[in-house]
């Protein structure tokens, strides 16, 4: 389904990826301001694991390397440390652009396959939007099982001591499993998010459900 | 008269959540300093830094905007205060981004009609440590000290989000001093040469990329040992968890022997102000500092 959106975007922007980013990606209008000094690329804590550090991503956007950018795992290596924003001489909101590119790659169906941060992030979002607050225990369990049942049991076993320690320190409550926390105006909360999603979908020129 | 604030507690502070010991120790601290934190009624999660995978810009903005609007409605004259770095950052960032982007603000307010709220953005969004530094002040904090943290060598780990992009008290991003100053105010020895003060602990990526995250944390702890630290202190709940709870895994992976306590500034203050181990939520830590406990039990 998202391939249809992807196709529509390809046709609409006809090889002008910078324009596509400017108009559709969060804070994407800043990309053209980059002067390629490279300061940001030296700032990422997980730097060695980025196939293309931020400066390179910005260069590739201008060079129309659309698929390469959007299917890259690079943006998913961002720890939101804000080092880059604090240092960029041009004041680019690099952190937000990375988040924006990552989100956009999902929206149009080009995200990398089996990217753990993408999966965890989606799980986090689903968990929080369900009840309005995050339930850490369910999130933790969800994470163990994200790679399938057998893998999940293995991970859960290796983390058992940690779980026990957390419980002893009263920082993880099994009661959370049974209900846990949430907002009381849940209907309103969901209506609000739905409206926000609709407005955004309309802006990105896409009316299909993004999942 | 108590100083009053509109308080955004955040998910990780909830009863039974991973940093409920931050919540408890801050509560004690507020008793000591005559500060009243009024929780924002029916607040929701802010989306942390990882929400972007599922939520687009506008839905994420709307999350924090709802909290701010609730605060504007229920606590019109009070600044918003958060204790979690990510909560503070998100809330403040949304506040500022909506003010700078009329279109986004307009759309956000359309979404907020579903909950009969409106965002105006007239409020300040502050971190608890700003309240301590700016509204209480180092001198007043020093005057409260009953049991100085004598002999404790403390590595102040500021981390990322209590530092960048907004900064605290106008200090530099590369070498903020407030945590060290707090430690000195409490009579401890601040290890000002601690190299990893503003290094990133990998934040939420610790969950999804544990090996990469633990490599960062290993350096953060190692540097504390190299500087002769008895403990690390931090203002950030995610940093606290990341640096404390994986030490077993790191020891197994790297053949290290780490057993480094990681405390909150609020726990140190509670103890220095004469409160007991329970009020300072010392049991909430997995790795105990015997030295700190001794002072608390004195
Ligand atoms: S630091 Fe700013 S200007 Fe320099 S390469 Fe990065 S984004 Fe471009
Ligand atoms: S915020 Fe993201 S992009 Fe910026 S330096 Fe940190 S990891 Fe790199
Ligand atoms: S940053 Fe964390 S703790 Fe704070 S509200 Fe958001 S998710 Fe929940
Ligand atoms: S939780 Fe944040 S993002 Fe925060 S400091 Fe640790 S490091 Fe980095």
């Amino acid at each position: 389904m998202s391939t249809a959106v992807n196709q529509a975007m390809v046709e609409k922007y006809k090889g002008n990826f910078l324009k596509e980013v400017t108009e559709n990606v969060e804070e994407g209008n800043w990309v053209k301001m980059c002067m390629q000094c490279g300061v940001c690329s030296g700032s990422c804590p997980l730097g060695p694991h980025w196939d293309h550090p931020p400066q390179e991503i910005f260069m590739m956007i201008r060079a129309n390397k659309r698929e390469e950018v959007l299917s890259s795992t690079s943006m998913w290596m961002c720890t939101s440390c804000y080092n880059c924003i604090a240092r960029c001489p041009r004041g680019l909101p690099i952190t937000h652009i990375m988040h924006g590119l990552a989100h956009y790659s999902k929206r149009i169906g080009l995200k990398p396959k089996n990217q753990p941060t993408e999966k965890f992030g989606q799980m986090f979002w689903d968990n929080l939007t369900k009840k309005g607050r995050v339930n850490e225990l369910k999130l933790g369990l969800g994470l163990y099982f994200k790679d399938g049942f057998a893998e999940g049991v293995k991970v859960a076993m290796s983390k058992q001591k940690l779980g026990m320690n957390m419980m002893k320190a009263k920082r993880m409550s099994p009661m959370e499993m049974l209900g846990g926390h949430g907002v009381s105006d849940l209907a309103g909360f969901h209506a609000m998010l739905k409206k926000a999603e609709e407005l955004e979908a309309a802006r990105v020129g896409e009316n299909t459900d993004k999942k | 008269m108590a100083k009053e604030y509109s308080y955004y507690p955040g998910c990780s502070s909830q009863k039974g959540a991973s940093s409920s010991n931050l919540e408890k120790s801050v509560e004690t601290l507020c008793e000591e300093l005559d500060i009243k934190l009024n929780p924002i009624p029916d607040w929701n999660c802010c989306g942390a830094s990882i929400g972007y995978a599922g939520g687009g810009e506008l839905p994420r903005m709307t999350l924090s905007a709802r909290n701010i609007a609730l605060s504007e409605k229920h606590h019109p004259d009070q600044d918003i205060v958060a204790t979690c770095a990510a909560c503070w950052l998100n809330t403040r960032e949304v506040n500022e981004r909506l003010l700078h982007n009329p279109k986004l603000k307009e759309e956000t307010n359309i979404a907020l009609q579903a909950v009969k709220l409106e965002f105006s953005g007239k409020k300040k969004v502050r971190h608890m440590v700003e309240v301590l530094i700016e509204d209480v002040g180092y001198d007043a904090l020093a005057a409260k000290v009953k049991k100085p943290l004598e002999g404790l060598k403390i590595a102040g780990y500021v981390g990322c989000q209590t530092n960048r992009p907004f900064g605290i008290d106008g200090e530099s991003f590369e070498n903020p001093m407030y945590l060290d100053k707090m430690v000195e105010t409490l009579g401890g020895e601040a290890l000002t040469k601690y190299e990893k003060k503003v290094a990133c602990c990998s934040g939420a990526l610790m969950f999804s990329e544990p090996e990469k995250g633990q490599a960062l944390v290993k350096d953060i702890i190692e540097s504390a040992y190299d500087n002769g630290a008895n403990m690390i202190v931090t203002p950030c709940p995610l940093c606290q968890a990341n640096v404390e709870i994986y030490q077993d895994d790191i020891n197994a992976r790297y053949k290290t022997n780490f057993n480094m306590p990681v405390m909150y500034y609020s726990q140190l203050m509670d103890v220095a102000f004469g409160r007991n181990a329970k009020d300072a939520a010392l049991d909430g830590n997995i790795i105990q500092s015997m030295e700190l406990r001794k002072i608390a039990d004195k």
Side-chain angles (χ1 to χ4, degrees):
Chain A
M1 168 178 63
S2 355
T3 33
V5 184
N6 184 33
Q7 210 43 49
M9 286 298 182
V10 169
E11 269 156 39
K12 181 165 175 200
Y13 291 99
K14 296 213 183 17
N16 191 342
F17 187 36
L18 179 63
K19 185 154 188 259
E20 182 181 347
V21 169
T22 302
E23 290 178 4
N24 296 288
V25 171
E26 181 170 349
E27 305 286 354
N29 58 323
W30 279 91
V31 172
K32 59 179 178 294
M33 300 297 293
C34 171
M35 63 180 199
Q36 289 292 307
C37 72
V39 167
C40 55
S41 292
S43 303
C44 301
L46 296 182
H49 305 287
W50 289 63
D51 289 338
H52 310 290
Q55 169 215 0
E56 216 170 287
I57 294 273
F58 298 145
M59 189 180 70
M60 290 163 72
I61 291 174
R62 291 198 212 186
N64 273 325
K65 305 212 163 145
R66 186 175 184 275
E67 296 248 336
E68 253 179 285
V69 168
L70 293 176
S71 59
S72 172
T73 58
S74 295
M75 300 83 82
W76 301 97
M77 295 292 152
C78 174
T79 62
S80 307
C81 74
Y82 287 76
N83 264 325
C84 50
I85 292 196
R87 294 176 188 161
C88 172
R90 283 286 174 89
L92 269 76
I94 301 159
T95 316
H96 306 141
I97 305 171
M98 292 303 129
H99 296 177
L101 284 168
H103 184 80
Y104 186 65
S105 79
K106 275 190 84 163
R107 189 179 276 261
I108 63 172
L110 287 180
K111 65 167 187 195
K113 291 207 173 50
N114 293 321
Q115 213 298 320
T117 300
E118 184 273 310
K119 286 195 175 174
F120 174 63
Q122 183 67 51
M123 230 179 264
F124 184 90
W125 180 256
D126 294 344
N127 188 302
L128 100 80
T129 48
K130 200 161 177 192
K131 295 183 82 182
R133 295 183 190 172
V134 169
N135 180 319
E136 289 181 324
L137 196 62
K138 279 190 196 148
L139 190 63
L141 291 174
L143 187 62
Y144 295 155
F145 294 105
K146 80 175 181 344
D147 297 323
F149 188 72
E151 193 53 30
V153 171
K154 232 165 58 197
V155 183
M157 291 302 282
S158 74
K159 290 278 170 280
Q160 204 177 29
K161 181 155 178 262
L162 172 59
M164 291 299 284
N165 279 337
M166 294 290 277
M167 288 215 192
K168 231 170 44 199
K170 296 202 174 51
R171 282 161 64 184
M172 218 180 240
S173 155
M175 289 307 284
E176 283 264 283
M177 281 296 276
L178 302 171
H181 313 275
V183 300
S184 43
D185 178 21
L186 202 53
F189 179 78
H190 285 147
M192 170 189 91
L193 279 181
K194 187 158 172 275
K195 188 76 212 169
E197 273 161 15
E198 278 167 20
L199 289 168
E200 187 160 274
R203 179 148 43 96
V204 181
E206 170 217 328
N207 294 308
T208 42
D209 181 13
K210 68 176 180 294
K211 277 188 213 151
Chain B
M1 259 277 281
K3 293 187 183 65
E4 296 204 36
Y5 301 92
S6 182
Y7 177 43
Y8 179 52
C11 301
S12 59
S13 68
Q14 298 171 106
K15 232 190 188 57
S18 63
S19 59
S20 41
N21 51 336
L22 172 62
E23 173 87 353
K24 172 71 189 157
S25 59
V26 167
E27 201 180 288
T28 301
L29 185 58
C30 289
E31 279 170 29
E32 286 294 313
L33 298 172
D34 201 18
I35 290 171
K36 190 156 181 267
L37 299 180
N38 304 308
I40 296 174
D42 208 35
W43 59 270
N44 56 258
C45 175
C46 66
S49 46
I50 200 80
Y52 64 84
E57 182 179 25
L58 190 61
R60 277 184 289 124
M61 299 272 143
T62 311
L63 287 178
S64 287
R66 179 176 176 273
N67 292 326
I68 297 170
L70 282 166
S71 170
E72 287 174 350
K73 179 174 164 192
H74 294 286
H75 309 134
D77 306 319
Q78 298 164 18
D79 289 349
I80 297 176
V81 168
T83 49
C84 163
C87 296
W88 172 58
L89 171 70
N90 273 310
T91 311
R92 179 165 166 183
E93 196 167 75
V94 167
N95 204 46
E96 298 190 3
R97 281 173 74 182
L98 292 183
L99 284 177
H100 286 121
N101 188 335
K103 168 107 173 110
L104 214 50
K105 183 177 167 194
E106 190 194 314
E107 290 186 342
T108 302
N109 272 326
I110 295 174
L112 283 178
Q113 281 168 8
V115 283
K116 301 192 180 56
L117 289 168
E118 195 183 347
F119 166 92
S120 78
K122 289 197 196 80
K123 279 197 179 225
K124 266 196 176 164
V125 183
R126 306 172 70 198
H127 192 285
M128 187 65 197
V129 299
E130 293 181 297
V131 169
L132 297 177
I133 296 167
E134 295 163 6
D135 299 3
V136 179
Y138 291 109
D139 291 344
L141 292 173
K144 293 284 300 178
V145 175
K146 295 200 182 87
K147 296 179 187 167
L149 307 180
E150 268 161 7
L152 290 189
K153 293 181 195 223
I154 302 175
Y157 177 51
V158 176
C160 306
Q161 299 192 344
T162 330
N163 178 32
R164 298 178 295 263
F166 295 121
I168 297 283
D169 200 27
E171 293 187 335
S172 85
F173 294 128
E174 309 293 338
N175 189 19
M177 296 304 295
Y178 71 89
L179 205 49
D180 291 341
K181 282 194 229 163
M182 280 183 180
V183 166
E184 301 275 343
T185 302
L186 303 176
E189 184 187 333
L191 299 170
T192 52
K193 300 241 170 346
Y194 177 52
E195 297 87 348
K196 291 292 172 182
K197 184 189 263 185
V198 296
C200 182
C201 66
S202 77
L205 269 72
M206 182 61 90
F207 299 100
S208 50
E209 299 276 8
E211 285 174 29
K212 299 182 179 80
Q214 286 172 21
L216 298 182
V217 169
K218 173 181 171 276
D219 292 346
I220 289 165
I221 299 171
E222 205 155 59
S223 162
Y225 274 113
D226 290 347
N227 280 274
N230 301 107
M231 66 176 73
I232 290 172
V233 63
T234 180
C236 169
L238 192 51
C239 294
Q240 197 283 335
N242 279 351
V243 179
E244 181 188 43
I245 67 184
Y246 301 101
Q247 291 190 29
D248 280 349
D249 300 62
I250 294 173
N251 286 339
R253 182 165 292 146
Y254 293 99
K255 310 273 171 284
T256 47
N257 224 336
F258 293 161
N259 193 38
M260 176 65 73
V262 186
M263 314 302 296
Y264 291 115
Y265 67 90
S266 44
Q267 295 181 298
L268 300 190
M269 284 188 184
D270 291 346
V271 171
F273 292 172
R275 300 296 293 255
N276 64 27
K278 183 161 180 277
D279 293 345
L282 298 187
D283 281 342
N285 292 59
I286 291 169
I287 301 173
Q288 290 294 320
S289 160
M290 289 311 152
E291 292 98 334
L292 188 65
R293 201 162 260 270
K294 232 186 264 160
I295 298 177
D297 292 343
K298 230 175 13 197

